[in-house]
Amino acid sequence: MRKGDVLIIEYRSIEKFYPNSRVHAINDASFKIKNGEFVFKSRAGKTTLLKMLYKAEKPSGGTIMILGGDIKKLKNPL
């Protein structure tokens, strides 16, 4: 990160699979989002990642951090 960049969200080894599916929707995704960023290609799991961020869905594995804190410890992250 460059000086002055603010790390807002970090996904660490995130996995998501649905019980009736044979494949992972998200498999071992790790990345950091700085202020003003969030660009992915089509069908890359953006909606699923956002739903996990506001706890509409739970990841099957991994950790999501907001401003350095694990969202599992927050009552209402957004």
Side-chain angles (χ1 to χ4, degrees), residues 3-68:
K3 185 177 179 179
D5 286 344
V6 177
L7 179 62
I8 302 295
I9 301 167
E10 182 177 0
Y11 288 82
R12 296 180 181 171
S13 302
I14 295 297
E15 295 185 359
K16 179 64 180 179
F17 60 90
Y18 295 96
N20 297 328
S21 177
R22 294 182 181 175
V23 297
H24 277 79
I26 299 172
N27 188 21
D28 196 27
S30 294
F31 57 93
K32 298 175 181 179
I33 302 171
K34 296 176 283 184
N35 189 30
E37 294 183 331
F38 200 69
V39 179
F40 288 87
K41 63 183 181 179
S42 181
R43 301 191 52 84
K46 293 181 298 291
T47 300
T48 301
L49 290 167
L50 287 170
K51 285 180 178 180
M52 286 184 216
L53 190 61
Y54 62 85
K55 295 185 175 183
E57 291 196 28
K58 292 182 181 181
S60 302
T63 304
I64 301 171
M65 310 289 287
I66 298 177
L67 297 172

